[in-house]
């Protein structure tokens, strides 16, 4: 076969120099045709769109043509021609075809319309489907949006550790990291494990959040963001929780609660607008095949002002909805309790029909590092609640007062012996600061219209699943 430099399909489809010979490589999506001519839809992952290869049957070896099955990998040299019937402006009139990789009929993605559950069991191959191609390209674009947003605003990308010795945030839901022989653990007289000989000489785990180290960055560099993997061994089999997920955590010195809400809103709108501008083809596909209201929903988020509501006001609305018989919930609510996702979604999807930034939560349900309000009862949290998702961002102003922070730590019995370095931020030149955490996959769920968080990350990690 003549050697011609490969052109990606996304670029071939834009060309108008009909008559030129090009080379494309990719995987067969479908083959159809007659005795005289074969039409092969080829995709190389560069775009959701396929290029149509037209093969005159008389010009090719019959055995070779039989090898062109769904999923097979081809290299095609052919002439760029104007297309009339393929749905694209151009197609390729094949001159030479080489089958690079055969694909038998046990190829798991052969049939169209497989369930997402089935595809999850074949997550190594589902990336080859239109839907997962679209999701992964959108995922990439969202990562670029996030870096661009912060870079344009003078934030520094700050790398926080993945292995951590602090367990004050995620006690009980952390994955331990050890090089010890689990069959031969040394224990003291109380039966507690002795970590002296372990790799780090103390108990270590995978991080549940980069925030605490992020605060060290912000109180030195002014404004930073993290973007990295986080791990939670929470045994919750929900469509919105993963054991390994990616989190974006900006942290900003001298920022107050209103400015924090402004940043949260601006940030999400920027990301959604980016998707509308950079992922048009993929969004149109998802809008057609997965979720008919997707593009309208994305546009409406970009155009509407988010509702800003205190927790106390939110509880009142929920109580009224129950009292008037307008709504029944599975879980009870009362002031002081955590909102379940059904409550959050009622407020966002039914009551306001808009994203909601909820603020000023009871201190009992929020983390120790949040700034307490003057009332002594509520804390300056600022969570963003989204349609379809529930909580997408968890944010707060941080307590900068050393004594107040210590008090919070003591009443909560938080093990802080390995946290002296965190407290030092409040000891040496303490400053007001604030930040938030956005779950990357929750953003991707919203932007793609997918229902299950396992379907917006290439290789999901959930209880009892770590295949691939
Ligand atoms: P939730 O109540 O939904 O479990 P959380 O209060 O535990 O969330 P935070 O600790 O505030 O969440 O984490 C910040 C953000 O990280 C959340 O707003 C959410 O977008 C995301 N997030 C939290 N836990 C998970 C998870 N297990 N899988 C995926 N994303 C998550
Ligand atoms: Mn949680």
């Amino acid at each position: 076969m003549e050697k011609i430099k490969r052109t990606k399909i996304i670029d071939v489809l834009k060309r108008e120099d009909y008559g030129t010979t090009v080379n494309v490589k990719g995987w067969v999506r479908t083959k159809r045709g007659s005795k005289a001519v074969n039409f092969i839809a080829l995709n190389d992952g560069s775009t959701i769109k396929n290029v149509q290869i037209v093969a005159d049957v008389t010009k090719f070896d019959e055995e070779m043509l039989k090898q062109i099955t769904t999923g097979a990998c081809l290299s095609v040299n052919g002439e760029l021609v104007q297309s009339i019937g393929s749905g694209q402006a151009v197609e390729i009139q094949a001159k030479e075809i080489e089958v690079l990789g055969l694909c038998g009929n046990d190829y798991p993605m052969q049939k169209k319309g497989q369930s997402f559950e089935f595809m999850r069991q074949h997550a190594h191959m589902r990336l080859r489907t239109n839907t997962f191609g679209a999701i992964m390209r959108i995922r990439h674009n969202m990562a670029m949006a996030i870096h661009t947003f912060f870079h344009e605003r003078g934030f520094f990308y700050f790398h926080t550790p993945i292995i951590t010795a602090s367990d004050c945030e995620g006690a009980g839901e952390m994955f331990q990291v050890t090089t010890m022989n689990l069959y031969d653990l040394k224990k003291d007289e109380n039966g507690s494990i002795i970590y002296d000989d372990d790799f780090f000489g103390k108990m270590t785990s995978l991080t549940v959040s980069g925030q605490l180290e992020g605060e060290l960055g912000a109180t030195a560099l002014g404004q930073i963001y993290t973007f990295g993997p986080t791990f939670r061994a929470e045994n919750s089999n929900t469509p919105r929780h993963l054991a390994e997920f990616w989190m974006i955590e900006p942290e900003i010195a001298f920022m107050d609660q209103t400015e924090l809400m402004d940043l949260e809103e601006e940030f999400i709108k920027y990301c959604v607008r980016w998707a509308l501008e950079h992922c048009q083809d993929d969004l149109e596909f998802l809008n057609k095949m997965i979720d008919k209201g997707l593009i309208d929903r994305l546009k409406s988020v970009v155009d509407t002002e988010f509702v800003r509501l205190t927790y106390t006001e939110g509880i009142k609305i929920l109580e009224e909805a129950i009292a008037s018989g307008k709504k029944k919930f599975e879980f009870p609510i009362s002031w002081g309790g955590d909102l379940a996702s059904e409550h959050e979604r009622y407020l966002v999807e039914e009551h306001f029909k808009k994203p909601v930034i909820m603020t000023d939560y009871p201190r009992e349900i929020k983390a120790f590092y949040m700034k307490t309000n003057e009332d002594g009862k509520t804390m300056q949290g600022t969570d963003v609640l989204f349609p379809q998702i529930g909580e997408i961002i968890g944010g707060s102003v941080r307590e900068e007062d050393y004594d107040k922070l210590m008090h919070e730590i003591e009443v909560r019995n938080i093990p802080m012996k390995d946290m002296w370095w965190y407290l030092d931020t409040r000891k040496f030149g303490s400053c007001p600061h604030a930040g938030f955490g956005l779950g990357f996959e929750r953003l991707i769920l919203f932007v793609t219209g997918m229902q299950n968080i396992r379907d917006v990350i290439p290789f999901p990690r959930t209880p009892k699943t770590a295949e691939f």
Side-chain angles (χ1 to χ4, degrees):
M1 189 159 147
E2 190 192 348
K3 182 139 181 69
I4 301 169
K5 193 173 180 310
R6 173 191 167 223
T7 308
K8 278 185 288 174
I9 289 171
I10 191 172
D11 298 324
V12 151
L13 293 175
K14 289 180 201 147
R15 283 171 62 165
E16 289 175 354
D17 50 334
Y18 309 119
T20 315
T21 301
V22 295
N23 172 268
V24 291
K25 295 183 171 70
W27 296 271
V28 176
R29 283 284 200 260
T30 56
K31 184 174 87 168
R32 60 191 175 81
S34 61
K35 283 216 170 70
V37 61
N38 280 183
F39 298 101
I40 303 154
L42 201 68
N43 187 283
D44 66 0
S46 60
T47 163
I48 187 92
K49 293 179 177 159
N50 305 322
V51 68
Q52 173 156 282
I53 311 291
V54 184
D56 183 343
V57 170
T58 59
K59 290 190 186 150
F60 294 94
D61 174 50
E62 197 179 334
E63 284 309 304
M64 191 279 295
L65 288 177
K66 272 192 204 151
Q67 293 176 348
I68 301 175
T69 55
T70 298
C73 184
L74 306 184
S75 174
V76 179
N77 288 344
E79 187 186 320
L80 210 58
V81 294
Q82 199 158 8
S83 173
I84 3 163
S86 74
Q88 311 292 356
V90 295
E91 58 188 31
I92 292 171
Q93 189 72 47
K95 289 181 184 160
E96 294 175 286
I97 302 177
E98 184 184 351
V99 180
L100 299 176
L102 297 172
C103 189
N105 58 14
D106 50 349
Y107 174 52
M109 298 298 130
Q110 197 170 38
K111 286 201 205 96
K112 285 196 170 176
Q114 298 280 21
S115 72
F116 288 129
E117 176 65 40
F118 174 88
M119 295 219 244
R120 247 169 259 148
Q121 285 157 12
H122 301 84
H124 61 310
M125 285 289 133
R126 68 178 178 171
L127 302 168
R128 298 245 193 112
T129 64
N130 286 331
T131 302
F132 285 88
I135 294 166
M136 294 309 141
R137 281 185 295 271
I138 291 172
R139 209 182 140 97
H140 161 79
N141 276 284
M142 287 297 90
M144 299 313 289
I146 287 161
H147 285 300
T148 309
F149 176 87
F150 287 119
H151 181 70
E152 280 176 349
R153 284 158 187 74
F155 285 66
F156 300 109
Y157 183 22
F158 187 68
H159 296 95
T160 51
I162 289 175
I163 299 175
T164 171
S166 67
D167 63 350
C168 63
E169 265 229 274
E173 50 179 58
M174 299 185 89
F175 291 100
Q176 253 185 266
V177 174
T178 182
T179 52
M180 292 192 296
N181 177 355
L182 298 181
Y183 297 103
D184 185 22
L185 292 174
K186 279 198 205 119
K187 295 186 181 169
D188 64 16
E189 59 271 25
N190 304 319
S192 304
I193 295 166
I194 300 171
Y195 285 94
D196 294 0
D197 293 337
D198 200 359
F199 189 90
F200 296 105
K202 56 166 83 169
M203 187 172 117
T204 50
S205 312
L206 296 177
T207 186
V208 295
S209 153
Q211 181 200 316
L212 301 185
E213 290 92 348
E215 289 186 43
L216 300 178
T219 55
L221 298 163
Q223 40 187 27
I224 60 94
Y225 69 105
T226 71
F227 188 169
T230 46
F231 306 86
R232 297 194 184 177
E234 46 194 356
N235 209 349
S236 46
N237 257 311
T238 82
R240 291 180 322 285
H241 288 90
L242 290 163
E244 176 181 300
F245 65 101
W246 289 67
M247 185 138 70
I248 296 95
E249 294 180 281
E251 192 71 35
I252 311 96
F254 316 115
M255 181 168 268
D256 68 20
Q257 196 181 21
T258 307
E259 292 165 334
L260 180 64
M261 289 191 275
D262 292 343
L263 182 71
E264 291 175 345
E265 183 166 345
E266 189 193 356
F267 171 61
I268 299 203
K269 285 179 171 172
Y270 183 95
C271 293
V272 174
R273 198 178 303 118
W274 183 288
L276 287 166
E277 284 167 9
H278 292 80
C279 309
Q280 242 171 348
D281 294 343
D282 288 323
L283 287 177
E284 274 165 23
F285 173 81
L286 294 171
N287 193 74
K288 193 165 124 208
M289 305 301 290
I290 306 286
D291 178 352
K292 298 268 183 296
L294 175 64
I295 291 179
D296 285 344
R297 200 159 57 242
L298 297 184
K299 284 185 178 154
S300 90
V301 160
V302 169
D303 292 336
T304 46
E305 207 172 307
F306 294 6
V307 175
R308 298 183 183 191
L309 181 79
T310 65
Y311 167 92
T312 304
E313 291 164 336
I315 292 287
K316 214 178 280 166
I317 293 169
L318 292 166
E319 282 173 346
E320 277 166 18
I322 296 168
S324 68
K326 228 197 282 177
K327 187 75 190 174
K328 279 200 180 78
F329 295 110
E330 190 184 337
F331 298 102
I333 49 146
S334 64
W335 199 97
D338 224 342
L339 296 185
S341 151
E342 56 171 346
H343 305 129
E344 297 173 343
R345 292 183 64 170
Y346 172 77
L347 290 172
V348 173
E349 289 166 21
E350 296 177 52
H351 187 81
F352 290 111
K353 299 189 169 66
K354 278 178 183 196
V356 170
I357 308 184
M358 187 172 272
T359 64
D360 305 290
Y361 291 81
R363 57 196 292 180
E364 287 75 20
I365 60 169
K366 284 292 175 187
F368 75 93
Y369 49 72
M370 294 191 188
K371 188 179 176 73
T372 306
N373 279 315
E374 306 247 307
D375 63 11
K377 288 196 304 201
T378 56
M379 286 180 141
Q380 293 191 10
T382 55
D383 291 359
V384 182
L385 312 179
F386 246 52
Q388 313 283 311
I389 312 290
E391 180 185 326
I392 191 164
I393 280 183
S396 73
V397 180
R398 321 304 189 190
E399 182 58 74
E400 84 262 22
D401 183 277
Y402 182 86
D403 294 326
K404 287 185 187 159
L405 184 64
M406 272 317 286
H407 173 75
E408 218 48 56
I409 288 167
E410 276 155 22
V411 297
R412 291 163 191 248
N413 274 320
I414 294 172
M416 291 296 285
K417 68 171 170 33
D418 293 318
M419 295 293 296
W420 55 272
W421 50 270
Y422 181 69
L423 295 170
D424 272 2
T425 52
R426 275 59 170 181
K427 244 193 225 165
F428 305 119
S430 186
C431 77
H433 60 288
F436 66 80
L438 167 93
F440 188 50
E441 286 74 19
R442 298 228 180 139
L443 175 68
I444 308 299
L445 269 182
F446 180 72
V447 171
T448 58
M450 295 296 289
Q451 299 287 325
N452 194 316
I453 200 162
R454 295 167 175 85
D455 298 333
V456 296
I457 188 166
F459 307 107
R461 297 291 178 254
T462 52
K464 305 280 179 279
T465 351
E467 194 77 50
F468 316 113

